[in-house]
């Protein structure tokens, strides 16, 4: 986000792209071949093959495709899977600024027509990999309008937590207070959940929000 904000202070427009059903679209055999370009240890490759081959079936995926979204290994796999695409973007398009995390991509430029052309180039390049840009999550807009990026709302000089994130945490926090009152969770467990959310929220302008949400719920054991 910090890098994006630096770019957004230099360039007027941003092209944001997202791949439709990215994780279910990842081809497992191709992923295993890519891993062999970077890893030579047979034991490690055997283990990674087992992780990939034992991915649970996804109703949206074709046979031989798909990795689970929640696995930590899947984040690494999903970043590696488009590494060659990243290099092609940099070498062929030569964008002023380009960033990607998993399937969340941004290109920035002062030339709006160039971004339209870049979007079509990316669409065709991804199609050759069997991937499709999400029709409702592919936008070109002024950076001053802000974008949803990596779980935050980001402007050149401001970052906010997405509204649904705060509402979801507040709801679960109240639920944990009720469970604590019944003796079904410990303060240590509550603290782990709070620390995890605060670790995410603190990267945005959320000091007042954190105080309000954390101060609104009281944890008391029931009688």
């Amino acid at each position: 986000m910090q890098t994006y904000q630096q770019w957004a202070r230099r360039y007027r427009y941003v092209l944001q792209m997202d791949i439709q059903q990215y994780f279910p679209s990842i081809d497992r055999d191709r992923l295993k071949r890519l891993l062999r370009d970077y890893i030579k240890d047979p034991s490690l490759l055997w283990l990674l093959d087992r992780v990939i081959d034992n991915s649970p079936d996804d109703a949206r995926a074709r046979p031989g495709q798909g990795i689970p979204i929640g696995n930590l290994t899947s984040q690494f796999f999903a970043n590696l899977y488009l590494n060659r695409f990243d290099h092609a973007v940099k070498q062929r398009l030569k964008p002023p600024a380009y960033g990607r995390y998993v399937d969340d991509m941004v290109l920035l430029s002062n030339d709006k027509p160039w971004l339209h052309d870049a979007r079509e180039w990316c669409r065709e390049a991804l199609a050759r990999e069997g991937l499709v840009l999400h029709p409702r999550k592919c936008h070109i807009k002024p950076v001053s309008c802000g974008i949803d990026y990596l779980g935050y709302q980001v402007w050149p000089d401001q970052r906010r937590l997405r509204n649904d994130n705060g509402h979801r945490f507040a709801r679960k926090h109240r639920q944990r207070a009720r469970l604590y009152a019944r003796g079904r969770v410990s303060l240590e467990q509550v603290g782990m959940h709070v620390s995890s959310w605060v670790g995410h929220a603190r990267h945005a302008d959320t000091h007042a929000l954190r105080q309000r949400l954390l101060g609104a719920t009281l944890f008391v054991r029931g009688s």
Side-chain angles (χ1 to χ4, degrees), residues 80-96:
L80 174 68
Y81 197 74
L82 285 179
N83 181 56
R84 293 178 181 175
F85 171 78
D86 295 333
H87 284 279
V89 169
K90 296 288 285 184
Q91 293 166 9
R92 299 286 296 278
L93 290 181
K94 295 181 171 54

Side-chain angles (χ1 to χ4, degrees), residues 6 10 14 32 35 49 55 69-70 74 87 98-99 117 126 135 175 190 200 205 213 218:
Q6 292 171 3
R10 295 174 57 189
V14 56
K32 287 188 283 187
L35 287 169
D49 285 351
S55 298
I69 294 177
S74 294
H87 284 279
Y98 168 70
D117 292 339
L126 290 168
Q175 182 183 35
V190 172
H200 176 73
D205 305 320
L213 292 185
L218 190 65

Side-chain angles (χ1 to χ4, degrees), residues 4-222:
Y4 170 77
Q5 286 187 301
Q6 292 171 3
W7 290 337
R9 296 182 194 118
R10 295 174 57 189
Y11 302 107
R12 294 174 57 193
Y13 301 104
V14 56
L15 162 61
Q16 186 173 25
M17 298 181 290
D18 186 280
I19 297 173
Q20 189 169 26
Q21 297 184 359
Y22 179 46
F23 283 85
S25 300
I26 289 178
D27 183 275
R28 295 175 188 175
D29 285 339
R30 179 174 182 273
L31 174 59
K32 287 188 283 187
R33 290 195 299 271
L34 287 172
L35 287 169
R36 280 155 174 78
D37 290 340
Y38 301 96
I39 299 171
K40 303 306 177 185
D41 185 314
S43 297
L44 179 54
L45 288 169
W46 175 88
L47 177 60
L48 294 174
D49 285 351
R50 299 291 79 74
V51 171
I52 293 168
D53 289 337
N54 285 282
S55 298
D57 291 333
D58 190 316
R60 299 169 296 175
R62 298 175 182 175
Q65 290 186 340
I67 57 176
I69 294 177
N71 284 13
L72 292 177
T73 51
S74 294
Q75 302 295 309
F76 167 73
F77 293 156
N79 277 322
L80 174 68
Y81 197 74
L82 285 179
N83 181 56
R84 293 178 181 175
F85 171 78
D86 295 333
H87 284 279
V89 169
K90 296 288 285 184
Q91 293 166 9
R92 299 286 296 278
L93 290 181
K94 295 181 171 54
Y98 168 70
R100 178 181 67 86
Y101 183 76
V102 184
D103 64 336
D104 200 344
M105 297 172 278
V106 289
L107 287 89
L108 292 90
S109 174
N110 288 323
D111 188 339
K112 193 173 182 180
W114 180 88
L115 288 175
H116 282 280
D117 292 339
R119 178 173 57 188
E120 295 312 305
W121 185 94
C122 290
R123 191 190 311 278
E124 294 173 4
L126 290 168
R128 290 193 291 271
E129 304 291 344
L131 301 172
V132 178
L133 285 179
H134 199 295
R136 296 190 302 277
K137 296 182 180 180
C138 189
H139 311 288
I140 298 173
K141 63 168 81 171
V143 296
S144 58
C145 293
I147 64 171
D148 281 342
Y149 190 49
L150 306 180
Y152 304 86
Q153 293 178 302
V154 190
W155 291 264
D157 297 296
Q158 186 180 16
R159 293 183 294 212
R160 294 180 185 169
L161 200 65
R162 284 173 44 174
N163 289 334
D164 58 343
N165 185 292
H167 292 313
R168 184 167 58 250
F169 172 79
R171 183 177 66 254
K172 291 183 176 180
H173 197 53
R174 291 191 298 269
Q175 182 183 35
R176 280 189 282 269
R178 292 192 292 270
L179 293 173
Y180 177 78
R182 299 171 193 158
R184 294 176 59 184
V185 298
S186 67
L187 280 181
E188 182 181 6
Q189 290 172 305
V190 172
M192 291 173 60
H193 288 288
V194 170
S195 296
S196 176
W197 179 76
V198 169
H200 176 73
R202 62 190 286 272
H203 294 290
D205 305 320
T206 58
H207 180 73
L209 174 67
R210 283 179 277 152
Q211 285 189 319
R212 185 171 73 252
L213 292 185
L214 295 175
T217 305
L218 190 65
F219 284 76
V220 179
R221 287 290 195 198

